[in-house]
Amino acid sequence: MLRIRSLLLFFFGLISLTIGTANSAQYPEKPIKMIVAWAAGGGTDIAARVIAKHMSQQLGVAVVVENRSGASGMIGTEFVSAAAPDGYTIQYTVADSHSVNPHLFPAIRYDAVNGFVPIAVVGYNPCTLVVNSKKAINTLDDLIKEAKSRPGQLTFATWGIGSGGHVRMAGLMDAAGISFLHVPFQGSGPALAAVASGQIDAMIVPAGMAKVQAEAGRVRMLAIDTTKRADIVPEVKTYDEQGFAINLRFWNAIFAPKGTPAAIVERLNGALNAALAKPEAKADLARIGLERLLIGDSGTADARNYLDSEYTRWGKVIRSANIKMD
């Protein structure tokens, strides 16, 4: 009887594996939901819709963006972590949800490292360090010297405690050995307006937003976090160019729920890479200011290694700066 039971279990397992392999081979057969854990119209949403359009063309089925915003991206991310691992629910997200939030929120209800399968790293949105244009600070070195001469007296604005602007600035302060006074605002627009008016000294903000204020003569851009000068603001030097080796980039990436078959993950990875290699997609990324980030051969293993390292890297920055959320 034991032998018969063992044989039955073996054959049932074999049948399940065969069915699963067949389903993966036919994938995709229906529209794919791409969850964005932030509101429609924001930077992440805009990027997701561009990526979804090009992936749809490559896959031959619609990739439909669905916004599930709230709780600093945790609501949508938790939804994806609990979704069926069949390749029909994926997530387009940014570093906040997987590299930052787990180190900030003690009651987070998803496992950012083990609860997801990375499909691919897409790129990042360049951010610039800006100061009010009326200040006698013309370079990154000027700002660092000024901050060292007046520890804790210069101010920096962000769009909230634990936000990308806050964590990036914490990384800069830690690397440069300087301290600023943090002044959080309700949104990046009001925060940048405070720098432009001279109410606040400095800020790290997306390059597209900074460019508008810089062209109006209200702020001065001191550095950009790209690996080489960015087309959106080619006049702005990188941190590396100014002798300051620091990586403040926040990634954009695509994930699937844990347990998604490897064949489906590889299919999505290949579709994304093929789609973004086309001239039309490159033009769309340039239009929205998204820099492509190529990790190794852009495969799923490289994506996993990179995203695991980013989780560790930003965790160290957050702990060092003692940034906490209730």
Side-chain angles (χ1 to χ4, degrees):
M1 289 296 295
L2 183 60
R3 178 179 173 80
I4 292 172
R5 184 183 178 189
S6 297
L7 285 171
L8 286 171
L9 288 172
F10 171 77
F11 283 118
F12 279 126
L14 185 61
I15 289 168
S16 298
L17 178 62
T18 302
I19 292 171
T21 302
N23 288 341
S24 297
Q26 295 164 7
Y27 174 86
E29 299 179 291
K30 62 182 181 179
I32 298 167
K33 285 195 299 187
M34 178 181 280
I35 304 299
V36 172
W38 283 270
T44 306
D45 177 69
I46 290 170
R49 291 177 189 277
V50 169
I51 300 301
K53 178 185 77 172
H54 290 287
M55 286 188 72
S56 296
Q57 294 169 357
Q58 194 69 32
L59 290 165
V61 299
V63 178
V64 182
V65 172
E66 182 177 305
N67 300 92
R68 288 182 174 266
S69 61
S72 299
M74 290 188 287
I75 289 176
T77 306
E78 184 181 346
F79 176 82
V80 174
S81 73
D86 56 8
Y88 291 103
T89 301
I90 60 177
Q91 182 180 18
Y92 187 94
T93 190
V94 290
D96 306 64
S97 62
H98 285 68
S99 294
V100 175
N101 287 349
H103 306 289
L104 290 177
F105 296 94
I108 197 165
R109 296 189 296 185
Y110 59 85
D111 185 338
V113 175
N114 300 308
F116 299 83
V117 180
I119 293 170
V121 177
V122 177
Y124 63 96
N125 296 102
C127 283
T128 58
L129 173 64
V130 301
V131 294
N132 180 270
S133 60
K134 293 181 180 179
K135 297 188 178 296
I137 297 174
N138 297 298
T139 66
L140 174 61
D141 190 54
D142 287 345
L143 181 64
I144 292 173
K145 287 179 179 177
E146 179 75 7
K148 286 185 175 180
S149 70
R150 300 165 55 202
Q153 294 183 46
L154 294 183
T155 55
F156 77 95
T158 73
W159 49 97
I161 297 171
S163 65
H166 187 188
V167 174
R168 286 181 177 96
M169 198 69 179
L172 176 61
M173 290 189 292
D174 184 60
I178 55 178
S179 62
F180 284 69
L181 176 64
H182 179 210
V183 183
F185 287 79
Q186 292 294 319
S188 54
L192 182 57
V195 178
S197 68
Q199 178 186 349
I200 302 294
D201 295 309
M203 179 181 187
I204 291 179
V205 66
M209 292 182 65
K211 181 179 181 179
V212 175
Q213 293 288 356
E215 289 176 343
R218 300 187 186 100
V219 302
R220 182 176 297 116
M221 295 182 283
L222 302 183
I224 191 164
D225 62 3
T226 47
T227 55
K228 60 182 180 180
R229 292 206 190 187
D231 291 339
I232 189 171
V233 284
E235 72 280 8
V236 182
K237 293 181 179 180
T238 67
Y239 289 94
D240 282 346
E241 274 187 281
Q242 301 178 74
F244 201 73
I246 185 172
N247 175 8
L248 299 178
R249 295 181 287 277
F250 265 30
W251 50 260
N252 287 222
I254 302 176
F255 291 85
K258 177 184 178 181
T260 303
I264 288 177
V265 175
E266 293 296 338
R267 174 82 171 100
L268 290 167
N269 174 272
L272 175 78
N273 288 327
L276 296 191
K278 294 182 177 179
E280 314 90 83
K282 291 180 179 180
D284 278 346
L285 294 187
R287 176 177 54 81
I288 64 173
L290 185 68
E291 293 279 330
R292 186 80 166 98
L293 185 58
L294 299 173
I295 307 297
D297 65 3
S298 298
T300 56
D302 287 321
R304 164 63 77 183
N305 291 336
Y306 173 78
L307 292 165
D308 283 352
S309 69
E310 286 291 281
Y311 174 91
T312 301
R313 181 169 77 92
W314 286 113
K316 290 179 179 177
V317 169
I318 291 164
R319 287 190 296 274
S320 178
N322 197 32
I323 303 172
K324 295 179 180 179
M325 300 291 287
D326 294 333

